[in-house]
Amino acid sequence: MAEQFISAIESSLDKTNLILKDIENAYGWPKEQRNQSYAALRTVLHLLRDRMPVQESVEFAQQLPIVVRGIYFDGWKPSDVPVKLNREDFLYEVRQGFPYDVEGGTERVVQVVLDTLRRHVTQGEWDDVKDTMPRDLARMMP
């Protein structure tokens, strides 16, 4: 039993590092900028989570690695969602949660994280997530 637990955690860490590396590779960031890739992932994940209805949010989270799922649910208040955010509100909130100046600005941060997340969940689940977004936000999603 302990071996299965360790294997599950190691696998989740590997998958989490892959997601963070995907973000870093999109920017050409070295691993030393892991705080930036983490901040980008965390910020966009939390805003997606808070924009979705509870059931869809939980279904999406089930496809994330355990470690990323922990990041995703950290601080979540299901009774306070979904939060109504249009595209401009979403980008504003990303700017608040991601304090780094990067090439392409906030929109690029969002696009990189969304592209990365899309590669790590099924197409069907991603389509379900997109369907919960207002049209102007859904257009940003791959």
Side-chain angles (χ1 to χ4, degrees):
M1 180 78 165
E3 288 178 23
Q4 288 176 329
F5 173 75
I6 291 169
S7 178
I9 296 299
E10 286 175 351
S11 174
S12 179
L13 285 171
D14 290 345
K15 290 174 184 175
T16 300
N17 280 321
L18 181 61
I19 290 170
L20 293 170
K21 285 178 188 177
D22 284 353
I23 294 168
E24 292 158 4
N25 287 341
Y27 277 104
W29 294 339
K31 186 177 180 181
E32 291 73 33
Q33 288 181 275
R34 181 64 44 104
N35 285 338
Q36 284 182 222
S37 56
Y38 170 76
L41 177 64
R42 185 179 195 283
T43 300
V44 173
L45 274 175
H46 283 189
L47 289 167
L48 275 180
R49 172 201 74 194
D50 291 346
R51 183 62 187 86
M52 286 187 270
V54 171
Q55 185 61 37
E56 185 55 43
S57 188
V58 170
E59 289 172 9
F60 174 70
Q62 289 173 335
Q63 293 198 10
L64 300 173
I66 295 167
V67 173
V68 176
R69 198 176 313 149
I71 296 165
Y72 182 80
F73 283 123
D74 183 46
W76 190 43
K77 295 179 183 167
S79 61
D80 294 346
V81 298
V83 175
K84 301 297 182 195
L85 295 171
N86 62 29
R87 182 180 179 278
E88 291 308 312
D89 295 334
F90 193 92
L91 292 172
Y92 173 81
E93 292 298 331
V94 170
R95 279 191 296 277
Q96 301 309 302
F98 184 78
Y100 303 97
D101 290 327
V102 295
E103 186 178 325
T106 305
E107 281 191 54
R108 177 79 175 125
V109 170
V110 171
Q111 195 62 56
V112 165
V113 173
L114 292 176
D115 287 345
T116 299
L117 290 171
R118 168 56 208 104
R119 289 190 301 272
H120 293 275
V121 299
T122 65
Q123 183 64 49
E125 185 55 43
W126 192 252
D127 290 343
D128 289 347
V129 170
K130 277 179 76 169
D131 287 345
T132 69
M133 298 293 143
R135 206 174 277 158
D136 61 344
L137 267 178
R139 280 193 291 264
M140 292 177 62
M141 300 177 76

